[in-house]
Amino acid sequence: QKLDVYIQSRELAVAVHRAGIGDSELRDQATRAAKSVFLNISEGLPDAQLGVRRRHFTIARNSLCEVAAAVDLAVAIGALPVAAGGELVGRMQRVAVLLGGLMRA
């Protein structure tokens, strides 16, 4: 719970939840995907088996891409202000970098 990737992915999930995406379907999709990022990172971190870790980190990466797509579409249709979308993109980029490092390890 002290690792940066844990903290950053948790903060991303909180930020997506609080973003107030105006479209209910996109809000649900983005929130579920952000939770998946955090939970899969959390599940993969303590496992000593490389294959199991990679599987969870791959799921987390794919869910991160889903969050990015939902946020992009929300901004495009006016369901999320551009500034709020930009803030979420910054958080996603930080998580992506940290997650990429875990996947190479």
Side-chain angles (χ1 to χ4, degrees), residues 9-92:
S9 62
R10 182 184 64 206
E11 288 179 4
L12 172 64
V14 170
V16 169
H17 178 77
R18 291 182 179 162
I21 296 172
D23 180 277
S24 62
E25 289 176 272
L26 285 176
R27 181 176 55 249
D28 179 59
Q29 197 75 19
T31 302
R32 285 187 296 110
K35 289 176 183 177
S36 175
V37 171
F38 173 67
L39 293 173
N40 275 288
I41 287 171
S42 299
E43 193 168 350
L45 282 172
D47 206 300
Q49 296 178 14
L50 185 59
V52 173
R53 287 173 62 93
R54 283 202 176 137
R55 180 171 55 90
H56 286 294
F57 296 156
T58 298
I59 293 168
R61 183 196 61 209
N62 293 347
S63 292
L64 188 60
C65 291
E66 186 176 2
V67 176
V71 167
D72 182 50
L73 184 55
V75 169
I77 66 171
L80 184 67
V82 172
E87 189 265 330
L88 291 173
V89 167
R91 290 183 182 278
M92 286 184 274

